[in-house]
Amino acid sequence: MRPAPRCDILCVLVVESTQHMQSLFHGLYDTVITRLITQMRTPVIVEPAGKNSQAATKATPCVRLGVVFYGDYFPYSMQTCSTQYFTSNYREFTKIIKAHRFCEGGQLRCAATEGLVAALEMFDDFAEFDPEAHLTNVQQRHAIMVTSTPPYAEGCRENSHMRYDGFGLDDVARRMREMKVSFSLVKERGKQIEQIEGLLKSANVSTKAPLELPKLMSPNFDVQLIGIDLPIPPEFAAPLNAPAPIAPATLANIQPQPVPAMPPPKQQQQQQQQLVPQKNKADAAALPIDVSVAMPKKAKVDSQPPSAGIVSPSSEEQLKTARGKAKPKASKGKTSRASDSPAVAPQAVPM
């Protein structure tokens, strides 16, 4: 009966060992790194190694954990790098992490290249000198770097293997690609470390974008993972319809607006006249229509126009007779009630 297929994972933590990192690392280990280790220990599908081997089966990986603490060069730090070799005992590994004492130094720069080279040497030592190496089936290699300070620009000088003499960050990236090491970065939020951030593209064989954890899950560190599909709990996941954050107004993101062209003088005067309110003018359509004003009056036509200065004798006699008829006849000894009232004045009869 053939033995069950094995799946081994090698993982090295490369941690910056400074006083500034001491107050932040233990919270990061309890909230993020323990989740990463648990995720790497979940069962995976192991593909067959050859044509005559059995079909793909599910296996629980054996995760071997190692750690590299790097600080500053002497005399700012008493020890530049300290390493702990691989162990598959998770409880023992946690005790080593909790018991570590962070050193001084690293206020401006740290020996980050020395820490990455020490991680590469640990991978080499397992493949060349470990007695259990021939029994393992290493499927994945991970290097997870926790940093907060920019690295020195000079090459490596504290290495153990001669092949890494004078190694820089570009040489580290090339060697990681040869060994198929998945490089993940855990960087303090608000810090810009372009030299280390560039390793996410140059050191990884995979071209997939890194998995970024939400800020609620890791408030102090920006976590970018390669090769580890860590599920995000629902309480930390961002809502689907969340509005996009508005960037604060700075001089860098304010686009200059073009100055509008001034119109010519004649056009400018016409625009000003249109903007001035005309109080004395009213809208003719809004006023009510007055029939008496709207309709023109007909001129009176006299059928018999009077002649100028000529009066016929017959017309004078007609006027006299009309006046005599118009005068009322007063009765003798009798007066009307209206004339006796003091409130009513006698009306004059026009002559």
Side-chain angles (χ1 to χ4, degrees):
M1 184 177 179
R2 295 180 180 179
R6 292 177 57 90
C7 176
D8 294 272
I9 297 177
L10 303 180
C11 180
V12 179
L13 296 180
V14 185
V15 183
E16 177 184 320
S17 179
T18 59
Q19 291 294 330
H20 175 71
M21 185 63 67
Q22 182 178 7
S23 60
L24 302 174
F25 177 73
H26 293 295
L28 174 70
Y29 184 84
D30 295 335
T31 57
V32 177
I33 296 180
T34 53
R35 294 176 183 268
L36 297 179
I37 297 174
T38 303
Q39 178 64 25
M40 287 187 290
R41 297 174 66 183
T42 55
V44 296
I45 301 298
V46 179
E47 297 294 336
K51 295 182 180 180
N52 298 328
S53 59
Q54 58 184 357
T57 57
K58 183 180 291 187
T60 301
C62 177
V63 181
R64 301 173 184 268
L65 301 171
V67 62
V68 175
F69 291 101
Y70 70 92
D72 204 341
Y73 292 105
F74 184 84
Y76 303 104
S77 296
M78 298 302 297
Q79 188 177 7
T80 304
C81 289
S82 61
T83 62
Q84 179 63 41
Y85 191 68
F86 291 113
T87 177
S88 58
N89 191 334
Y90 174 69
R91 294 182 179 179
E92 181 181 353
F93 179 77
T94 303
K95 290 180 180 180
I96 296 172
I97 293 293
K98 297 293 184 180
H100 176 73
R101 293 183 179 181
F102 288 78
C103 59
E104 299 290 340
Q107 284 81 6
L108 299 178
R109 295 188 181 275
C110 281
T113 308
E114 304 286 351
L116 293 173
V117 169
L120 294 176
E121 291 178 341
M122 194 178 297
F123 288 125
D124 293 337
D125 291 343
F126 179 82
E128 297 174 4
F129 305 108
D130 196 292
E132 297 181 359
H134 67 285
L135 300 176
T136 60
N137 181 20
V138 179
Q139 298 286 333
Q140 300 176 16
R141 295 177 178 88
H142 294 278
I144 303 175
M145 188 172 190
V146 182
T147 183
S148 176
T149 309
Y152 284 105
E154 59 185 6
C156 180
R157 62 188 183 186
E158 299 286 340
N159 53 296
S160 300
H161 297 182
M162 296 179 61
R163 71 180 70 171
Y164 295 112
D165 289 345
F167 253 51
L169 291 178
D170 294 337
D171 300 322
V172 170
R174 176 180 52 81
R175 180 59 177 166
M176 283 187 175
R177 292 177 65 90
E178 293 176 357
M179 301 176 66
K180 297 181 180 181
V181 177
S182 299
F183 177 78
S184 300
L185 180 60
V186 181
K187 177 178 63 69
E188 185 180 2
R189 292 189 182 274
K191 299 295 184 68
Q192 299 294 332
I193 311 177
E194 297 179 358
Q195 301 91 331
I196 302 299
E197 293 176 4
L199 295 177
L200 288 171
K201 293 183 179 180
S202 60
N204 289 295
V205 178
S206 176
T207 57
K208 295 177 59 177
L211 174 63
E212 297 185 9
L213 300 187
K215 188 175 181 180
L216 295 176
M217 192 172 180
S218 177
N220 296 324
F221 288 90
D222 185 9
V223 182
Q224 300 181 9
L225 304 176
I226 295 292
I228 304 176
D229 297 330
L230 181 65
I232 300 175
E235 60 269 19
F236 297 122
L240 298 178
N241 298 327
I246 300 175
T250 59
L251 295 178
N253 58 13
I254 294 178
Q255 299 294 333
Q257 299 294 332
V259 180
M262 296 297 293
K266 294 183 179 180
Q267 184 177 358
Q268 188 176 3
Q269 292 178 2
Q270 294 177 0
Q271 293 178 357
Q272 291 179 357
Q273 292 177 1
Q274 293 176 0
L275 294 175
V276 173
Q278 301 178 1
K279 298 181 179 180
N280 297 331
K281 293 184 178 181
D283 190 1
L287 294 176
I289 300 175
D290 191 357
V291 180
S292 62
V293 177
M295 298 298 293
K297 293 183 179 181
K298 294 183 179 180
K300 293 183 180 180
V301 179
D302 192 359
S303 59
Q304 296 180 359
S307 57
I310 301 175
V311 180
S312 60
S314 59
S315 61
E316 291 181 357
E317 293 178 357
Q318 292 177 359
L319 290 173
K320 289 179 181 181
T321 56
R323 290 174 183 175
K325 292 180 180 180
K327 290 182 180 181
K329 295 181 180 180
S331 59
K332 296 180 180 180
K334 295 182 180 180
T335 58
S336 62
R337 295 179 181 178
S339 61
D340 295 341
S341 175
V344 178
Q347 297 181 356
V349 178
M351 297 300 291

